[in-house]
Amino acid sequence: MATLHDVAKAAGVSPMTVSNVLNKHPHVRAETRERVLKAIDDLGYRVNVAARNLRAGRTNTIGFAVPEVDRPYFAQLAARVIARAQDAGYRVVIEQTGADRENELSAIVSSRTRMYDGLILSAVGLGSADRDLLTTDVPMVILGESVFGSPVDHIALPNEDGTYAATMHLIDQGCRRIAMIEGDDVSRLSVTSLRHAGYRRALEERGLDPDPSFVVELHELSPEGGRRSAHELVDRGSAIDGVVCITDTVALGVIRGLADRGVSVPGDVKVVGFDDILEARYSVPSLTTIDPDHDEVARLAVDLLLARLADSPDWQPKEHVTGFRVVARESTG
Amino acid sequence: MATLHDVAKAAGVSPMTVSNVLNKHPHVRAETRERVLKAIDDLGYRVNVAARNLRAGRTNTIGFAVPEVDRPYFAQLAARVIARAQDAGYRVVIEQTGADRENELSAIVSSRTRMYDGLILSAVGLGSADRDLLTTDVPMVILGESVFGSPVDHIALPNEDGTYAATMHLIDQGCRRIAMIEGDDVSRLSVTSLRHAGYRRALEERGLDPDPSFVVELHELSPEGGRRSAHELVDRGSAIDGVVCITDTVALGVIRGLADRGVSVPGDVKVVGFDDILEARYSVPSLTTIDPDHDEVARLAVDLLLARLADSPDWQPKEHVTGFRVVARESTG
DNA sequence: ATCGTGGTGTGTATCGTTACAAATCGCTTC
DNA sequence: GAAGCGATTTGTAACGATACACACCACGAT
């Protein structure tokens, strides 16, 4: 494989001139540039990124750590993050953490090996106990719940308000016995506990009794988990007329699970999700959901990180909560 | 940021000894190792991957180029590829090509810059004309249609046979007027043309007249594309009783589009897809489809690439066509 | 006492690129 | 004709890690 030196020799110039051509430095005579470019072409030369990264001290790559790439929400977010980063000349490496604390930490460690210039971390497994570990020298943006007091930028979804609005929407549509299908860790400051709080707040505000038997804990954040939870609710005989689901993925499974039991949506039971994944628009019935503005999340995440990379000395960690809107579709019609 | 030299100084050994500890070389005294590890810990040292890559001439990273990460088929495949590569100690970088020829080539070029040790390329935009460009020194595995004569490993889906089986299944279920919703380039040797051929072959074999008005070209390989095509079919007044879709993603949009027009599935029209994405199991009605064995595809792709990286001198390009099975669900019940 | 042997540890020389400073060139100006 | 001044070009010296070959050491065999 040809190196920059080979090109220099072939073009009859110094290696530095070749480098200058490659990096589009201004003061290179047109004729020289042509000669160098021709040599590059003749030899099929490609710059060696490892050497460049070493010398430059940067990789032009950012990491994006998510629980699972194949969850529509993250896949769709990743596509946006990649597109936006690409515009700014950055490559994106997706790391799968499996919602596992160890792996989330290892993603951080990866970035400390200078593999990434910065990291966008969709944190699920980290808790306040990990705040020290987040104190890295590598720029980082956290997506998800705030790890209290950690000195990093942070983008939160409107978890409580969104779920509150979703629940209100069901009540407005006439539901009175509303179930919630949620994650498995209500105790921590987490997506689950926040969304649970939004649900409770709406019920209380409207004077509806929060029946504990209406709350189902998922075993798995997936359509299959949603389907099983729906079966459980129906088989248990709770006469519900509405279901708030912690995510769209789960909600689609719930609709399926209700269909399995001959319960019609929205006729017998109305269903609302959270995330507005693409699939929500195409299910039968289409899914009412909370749209947390993915575009804004992706844009903010990348822009905050890039701003940090630009290394302004007066940087202060910021916290953002994105907006949302209720998208009413057939499942609550 | 501490370097290996700093660690060496702190531990009172030579840089090489630190390197030996890091790389788990055998002949290091236990006591020395401890001392080095302590110094590493004290200084918070992390190896600089760029330097290591440069020196080693490898990156321990493979590229995976797909049209779009947020298409369920590719997201689900990517998750499997990542998992399998991780087991073998490789990191995976996902590149989005947007099904664009230029970008597919640029993914190849990336790997020529030695950013990746190898590349798995889900080729859609490449054609036979690009065969020379595929003659790289970097190990590569192509997923998708064969670029004739190119000297690379290649994994094909059972496109024709799978669609043939799907169409046969519809016929066996009593359909006689079967539409096909397909991609936009039937002329090339491509997924579209192969799946089209499978559809035609089944019709002909059973003596059904292939009505050209039953074939709809997608404008977009997405649920939205499927939905519009379904509208088109219905609005055109073709009295169809079955639809073969080029992918599951499209099929789910078709089911939605039929619902928009009050056509019931499977009562009025039966629908079959291709890919067996996760969502096919949870739609209402659940989707009959062709399962091309994703696990095998991912496993093969990674294993072929790794075998190639192991650099056996007697390597010969291989072509694999994976198996498949018809998964009958409600949409053709 | 000498030699060999295997386990440990250490210089040296890169890997390919680029920052920086310094050198050289071509041309105008006095 | 010499000085002056940008525009171009070129050495030099890293960036941080590791392959390789060699040096050292202790201990048992001869």
Side-chain angles (χ1 to χ4, degrees):
Chain A
M1 176 94 74
T3 75
L4 182 143
H5 276 78
D6 302 330
V7 175
K9 208 175 302 170
V13 296
S14 80
M16 269 318 295
T17 300
V18 180
S19 173
N20 286 337
V21 169
L22 286 173
N23 294 290
K24 308 198 197 307
H25 277 243
H27 301 306
V28 177
R29 215 165 11 128
E31 186 223 322
T32 313
R33 192 198 330 281
E34 291 313 315
R35 202 142 37 91
V36 170
L37 290 176
K38 179 166 183 326
I40 287 177
D41 202 48
D42 288 349
L43 296 173
Y45 166 80
R46 301 291 157 189
V47 57
N48 179 321
V49 218
R52 170 178 287 175
N53 289 346
L54 172 58
R55 182 61 239 221
R58 342 180 290 112
T59 60
N60 265 293
T61 299
I62 66 182
F64 183 42
V66 299
E68 281 152 6
V69 256
D70 56 347
R71 237 144 78 185
Y73 174 71
F74 291 111
Q76 288 161 33
L77 193 58
R80 288 176 161 90
V81 166
I82 290 174
R84 185 142 192 113
Q86 210 158 47
D87 288 346
Y90 281 83
R91 182 176 305 273
V92 176
V93 176
I94 299 175
E95 298 241 0
Q96 259 193 139
T97 63
D100 178 67
R101 185 174 159 282
E102 288 305 317
N103 283 332
E104 286 180 358
L105 291 177
S106 104
I108 298 173
V109 169
S110 280
S111 70
R112 295 199 62 202
T113 66
R114 312 196 118 170
M115 179 164 287
Y116 312 135
D117 294 344
L119 182 70
I120 298 175
L121 176 63
S122 207
V124 176
L126 291 178
S128 317
D130 299 305
R131 61 165 291 196
D132 292 347
L133 295 159
L134 294 181
T135 312
T136 65
D137 33 6
V138 174
M140 183 157 67
V141 172
I142 302 263
L143 248 50
E145 283 332 300
S146 148
V147 175
F148 177 73
S150 56
V152 289
D153 285 317
H154 175 248
I155 301 171
L157 296 187
N159 285 315
E160 186 176 340
D161 289 348
T163 311
Y164 168 83
T167 310
M168 277 305 200
H169 174 73
L170 284 182
I171 298 172
D172 290 342
Q173 293 296 103
C175 300
R176 289 297 172 268
R177 302 168 59 80
I178 301 175
M180 164 130 209
I181 295 182
E182 65 186 21
D184 61 352
D185 190 356
V186 197
S187 56
R188 284 189 306 141
L189 176 70
S190 64
V191 173
T192 290
S193 68
L194 288 170
R195 295 195 184 172
H196 182 86
Y199 159 76
R200 285 291 295 265
R201 181 151 64 86
L203 291 188
E204 280 159 16
E205 211 164 280
R206 288 296 178 91
L208 295 178
D209 202 30
D211 185 332
S213 79
F214 285 2
V215 174
V216 181
E217 260 187 33
L218 278 173
H219 299 300
E220 193 189 310
L221 198 66
S222 67
E224 186 57 33
R227 176 184 223 162
R228 291 221 193 112
S229 301
H231 291 173
E232 210 174 301
L233 268 176
V234 174
D235 296 347
R236 183 190 282 178
S238 326
I240 54 164
D241 55 12
V243 185
V244 178
C245 302
I246 191 162
T247 68
D248 281 359
T249 298
V250 168
L252 294 176
V254 165
I255 290 178
R256 176 68 244 182
L258 292 174
D260 291 340
R261 293 294 188 265
V263 177
S264 104
V265 178
D268 302 328
V269 173
K270 301 190 197 306
V271 177
V272 60
F274 197 116
D275 280 344
D276 196 24
I277 62 175
L278 202 56
E279 287 78 0
R281 205 169 305 172
Y282 299 98
S283 61
V284 181
S286 58
L287 182 65
T288 294
T289 187
I290 301 299
D291 169 11
D293 202 343
H294 300 78
D295 275 324
E296 196 195 351
V297 172
R299 189 183 56 71
L300 262 176
V302 174
D303 290 357
L304 280 176
L305 196 59
L306 294 185
R308 194 97 166 61
L309 294 183
D311 196 26
S312 46
D314 52 340
W315 170 85
Q316 289 285 13
K318 286 184 211 45
E319 161 126 0
H320 292 263
V321 180
T322 62
F324 71 92
R325 62 199 181 89
V326 178
V327 184
R329 298 205 182 94
E330 295 168 353
S331 69
T332 57
Chain B
M1 174 95 72
T3 75
L4 182 143
H5 277 76
D6 301 331
V7 174
K9 208 176 300 169
V13 296
S14 81
M16 270 318 296
T17 300
V18 179
S19 173
N20 287 335
V21 168
L22 286 173
N23 295 288
K24 306 198 198 311
H25 278 241
H27 302 307
V28 178
R29 222 176 351 141
E31 186 221 321
T32 313
R33 190 196 334 279
E34 291 313 316
R35 203 142 37 91
V36 170
L37 289 176
K38 180 165 183 325
I40 287 176
D41 203 49
D42 289 349
L43 296 173
Y45 167 79
R46 302 290 157 190
V47 59
N48 179 321
V49 220
R52 172 179 286 176
N53 288 347
L54 172 58
R55 184 61 239 224
R58 339 181 290 113
T59 59
N60 265 293
T61 300
I62 65 182
F64 182 41
V66 299
E68 280 152 5
V69 256
D70 57 347
R71 236 144 78 186
Y73 174 71
F74 291 112
Q76 288 161 33
L77 193 58
R80 288 176 162 92
V81 166
I82 290 174
R84 184 143 192 113
Q86 211 159 46
D87 289 345
Y90 280 84
R91 182 174 306 272
V92 176
V93 176
I94 299 175
E95 298 242 2
Q96 260 194 139
T97 63
D100 177 69
R101 184 173 159 281
E102 287 307 315
N103 284 331
E104 286 180 359
L105 291 177
S106 106
I108 298 174
V109 169
S110 281
S111 70
R112 295 198 63 200
T113 67
R114 311 195 121 169
M115 179 163 285
Y116 312 135
D117 294 343
L119 180 69
I120 298 175
L121 176 63
S122 210
V124 176
L126 291 178
S128 318
D130 300 307
R131 60 165 291 195
D132 292 347
L133 294 159
L134 294 180
T135 311
T136 67
D137 34 6
V138 174
M140 182 157 67
V141 173
I142 302 262
L143 248 50
E145 283 332 300
S146 150
V147 176
F148 177 72
S150 57
V152 290
D153 286 317
H154 176 249
I155 301 171
L157 296 187
N159 285 316
E160 186 176 340
D161 290 348
T163 311
Y164 168 83
T167 311
M168 278 303 199
H169 174 74
L170 284 182
I171 299 172
D172 290 341
Q173 293 296 104
C175 300
R176 288 298 171 269
R177 302 167 60 81
I178 302 175
M180 165 131 209
I181 295 182
E182 64 187 21
D184 60 354
D185 190 357
V186 199
S187 55
R188 284 190 306 143
L189 175 70
S190 65
V191 174
T192 290
S193 68
L194 288 170
R195 295 193 185 172
H196 182 86
Y199 159 76
R200 286 292 295 263
R201 180 151 64 87
L203 293 187
E204 280 160 15
E205 211 164 280
R206 288 296 180 89
L208 296 177
D209 202 32
D211 185 334
S213 80
F214 286 2
V215 174
V216 181
E217 259 189 33
L218 278 174
H219 299 300
E220 191 190 310
L221 199 66
S222 67
E224 186 57 34
R227 177 185 223 162
R228 292 220 194 115
S229 302
H231 291 173
E232 211 174 300
L233 268 176
V234 174
D235 298 348
R236 179 190 288 178
S238 325
I240 55 163
D241 56 12
V243 185
V244 178
C245 302
I246 192 163
T247 68
D248 281 359
T249 298
V250 168
L252 294 175
V254 166
I255 289 178
R256 176 68 244 183
L258 292 173
D260 291 341
R261 293 295 187 264
V263 176
S264 105
V265 178
D268 302 328
V269 174
K270 300 189 199 304
V271 176
V272 59
F274 197 116
D275 280 345
D276 196 24
I277 63 176
L278 203 56
E279 287 78 0
R281 204 169 304 172
Y282 298 98
S283 61
V284 182
S286 58
L287 181 65
T288 294
T289 187
I290 301 300
D291 169 10
D293 202 342
H294 301 76
D295 276 324
E296 197 196 351
V297 173
R299 190 182 55 71
L300 261 176
V302 176
D303 289 358
L304 280 177
L305 196 59
L306 295 185
R308 194 95 166 63
L309 294 182
D311 195 26
S312 45
D314 53 340
W315 169 85
Q316 290 285 11
K318 285 184 212 46
E319 160 125 2
H320 292 262
V321 180
T322 62
F324 72 92
R325 62 199 181 87
V326 178
V327 184
R329 298 207 181 94
E330 295 168 354
S331 69
T332 58

